[in-house]
Amino acid sequence: MVMVGLMYFVFDITSSSTKSNALSEVEYATRFAAERIQREIIGAAAFNVAQSTFGSTPGRLSLQTVSADTNPTIIQLVGRSIVIKQGAHATQTITTPLVEVMSTTFYNLSRVGSPEVIQFTVSGRRLNPQSMEEFQASTTLTSTATLRQ
């Protein structure tokens, strides 16, 4: 009887640890992607309004850069990953395969006579093909960045 109780206790601890790790993975990957997007926005010279998709998912952000080598820089959701394409360089995936990005939305908060401001939201969840309870984890991050002028 004691052995059965001990087994349930060990299973509970293992399950809690797995759930905690899954949540940490999602939070880390989503935060990493958000910080990379923020750095790209801050470093841009301007954004291309006509080539960007604002206020809907999947969002797309096209940034003008000072360097011809990285112009334009395009950030978008492809499948369940966020990708960045800089100039003629190959597309880079900035999210881990263990995390599915469910949505990216960009908002143009700029006003006439003020620096250009972009707000964005990234929502991700842990890849969980077997729908196991201990791997269910998700997060949504919202951030705002101002282009350097």
Side-chain angles (χ1 to χ4, degrees), residues 11 14 36 47 49 58 94 110 123:
F11 178 75
T14 304
R36 174 71 190 271
F47 57 86
V49 175
I94 63 168
S110 304
S123 295

Side-chain angles (χ1 to χ4, degrees), residues 14-28 98 126 134-135 137:
T14 304
S15 180
S16 295
S17 175
T18 303
K19 178 85 171 169
S20 177
N21 288 342
L23 185 57
S24 292
E25 287 172 358
V26 171
E27 288 176 345
Y28 176 80
L98 292 176
R126 174 68 162 76
E134 58 268 20
F135 288 112

Side-chain angles (χ1 to χ4, degrees), residues 52-61 77 103-108 121:
S52 298
T53 304
F54 295 109
S56 65
T57 295
R60 181 178 196 263
L61 184 62
L77 183 64
S103 66
T104 56
T105 310
F106 297 96
Y107 301 94
N108 181 355
T121 301

